[in-house]
Amino acid sequence: PRCFACEEHRMDFEVEAFAAKAEGADAAFVGHQHTEESRALANRERRRASVLTCERGLHSAIDSGDVRLARMWSKALREAKARLLLAEAKLP
């Protein structure tokens, strides 16, 4: 198991690496708009992964009966969902 910050960092790294690889392979053929769209899609995927991580953390905290931890994960989940909505709003 990984802590929330480590999981966030790992997911960000994987998505950025994937996006960079995809952008690098298509760099000669894509325009500025496509690059912006790729970045927006990568950002949305990171935000979705963050929501899933928070949901797992919240369920784990609830199952363990740790009220303080459940509150922390609940707050993180609300914030992650808000960031996901913003990321989705930036998609074309």
Side-chain angles (χ1 to χ4, degrees), residues 29-42:
F29 304 105
V30 297
H32 178 72
Q33 183 178 4
H34 183 68
T35 302
E36 292 286 324
E37 184 178 336
S38 295
R39 287 184 184 145
L41 288 171

Side-chain angles (χ1 to χ4, degrees), residues 40-76:
L41 288 171
N43 186 40
R44 181 185 66 185
E45 292 311 308
R46 281 195 310 273
R47 300 306 177 199
R48 281 185 181 171
S50 179
V51 167
L52 292 175
T53 299
C54 292
E55 286 175 344
R56 286 191 303 266
L58 178 58
H59 290 297
S60 178
I62 290 170
D63 291 344
S64 71
D66 189 334
V67 176
R68 183 193 60 80
L69 194 58
R71 271 190 242 125
M72 183 198 76
W73 279 113
S74 179
K75 179 181 177 188

